[in-house]
Amino acid sequence: MQNKLSEIKQKAVEAIQASTDLKTLDDVRISILGKKGELTSVLRGMKDLSNEERPLVGKMANEVRSEIEEALEQAKEVIARKQREIQLKKEVIDITLPAKKVELGHRHPMSIVLDDIKDIFIGMGYSIAEGPEIENAYYNFDALNIPEEHPAKDEQDTFYINEDMMLRTATSPVQVHVMENSKPPIRIIAPGRVFRSDEVDATHSPVFHQIEGLVIDKNITMGDLKGALEVFIKELYGDSVKAKFRPHFFPFTEPSAEMDISCVMCGGEGCKVCKGTGWIEILGCGMVHPRVLEMSGIDPNEYSGFAFGMGLERITMLRYGIEDLRLFYENDIRFLKQF
Ligand code: DAH
């Protein structure tokens, strides 16, 4: 019995040392210590021993078992360590290799210019207003004094959603929301997306951006309008830029005007951009029509105001000398990087 036990131990230790992976090691454990293992069956035979022999053999069997268990434990550690070393070697990182270059995104030129425009008007005491992109005929047309037969109402120009609802064709309806929801003095600009069913070309897009302005208070005059817009264009394009106002017609303002600025490309000499005239039209404006004030609940006998509206694409193109509006929507990083 004793010989049998040391034989088992001998064999076990050899098998354990020969194991190079955890699976083999576990198989060895099962073949010796498992239910049907060699040591287990020897222990089962102990009941046939004499009373004197049994404690001796029992003690020895326990020693053999714990020695084998210890050998298993040690072998397990050795194998685990070896496997970790192999793994680490495989995963080694050469930190001296050059890193992958991360291309950062870029602010869009229209975002840059819009932020500048907001800063300029906020500096003059304006706040920023917003309105919905989907409007009904009242806000988009009627409340702005746009008559029934006006060509802007034509389905050719406007994206209708149903009889009454449409994508707004200008930011001007925001004026109406602001007047309905606040009391004068009012001083806001409202930037946003507008929609017209235009073909895409170098200067048109069915989706584009406008910035609306509205000022209402007691005793507001055309002089306030000219002053505010002159400060604005000098801040935006530089002190040497000149402005002039040409009479024009808009249903929601009376009198109405268009503002031209001296060509920012040629300084007024005459070039391709200003078509040789030295001047460029950049916005529409005027004194808010008394009927428009009245419809939105503001007493035209007590208050007056001015409004203006401009296209952000155009303002940005002039700022950077960009000749094709489609570049704004292509998101080509080589274009965006330049601003
Ligand atoms: N709504 C006009 C357009 O889309 C722009 C405009 C002109 C807005 C004159 C105004 C204004 O507020 O007073 O062409």
Side-chain angles (χ1 to χ4, degrees), residues 170 172 175 196 210 212 250 252-253 284-286 307-309:
S172 303
Q175 288 188 32
R196 285 178 202 175
Q210 286 188 330
E212 194 77 13
F250 296 106
F252 31 88
T253 43
C285 57
F308 54 89

Side-chain angles (χ1 to χ4, degrees), residues 219-335:
N219 305 316
I220 297 288
T221 68
M222 197 88 185
D224 298 306
L225 162 64
K226 290 174 78 172
L229 291 177
E230 268 168 22
V231 169
F232 163 62
I233 57 120
K234 282 180 194 292
E235 293 264 327
L236 191 67
Y237 290 117
D239 262 342
S240 59
V241 170
K242 291 194 287 281
K244 80 176 179 193
F245 292 81
R246 268 181 300 103
H248 198 77
F249 173 79
F250 296 106
F252 31 88
T253 43
E254 181 58 37
S256 305
E258 276 187 338
M259 184 172 86
D260 296 345
I261 57 171
S262 53
C263 181
V264 289
M265 298 299 154
C266 63
E269 297 286 302
C271 68
K272 200 174 83 192
V273 174
C274 60
K275 300 195 181 80
T277 64
W279 294 95
I280 296 173
E281 182 254 306
I282 66 155
L283 57 78
C285 57
M287 301 305 293
V288 181
H289 198 295
R291 257 208 299 272
V292 171
L293 292 175
E294 205 160 23
M295 277 188 277
S296 295
I298 291 173
D299 182 355
N301 296 316
E302 195 177 352
Y303 292 103
S304 56
F306 65 80
F308 54 89
M310 62 188 112
L312 180 58
E313 277 78 357
R314 185 164 167 75
I315 301 265
T316 308
M317 287 165 87
L318 291 172
R319 164 88 163 261
Y320 295 119
I322 297 164
E323 288 182 0
D324 193 323
L325 163 152
R326 285 167 288 201
L327 288 164
F328 287 142
Y329 308 122
E330 283 165 1
N331 275 335
D332 186 330
I333 191 82
R334 292 168 302 177
F335 168 71

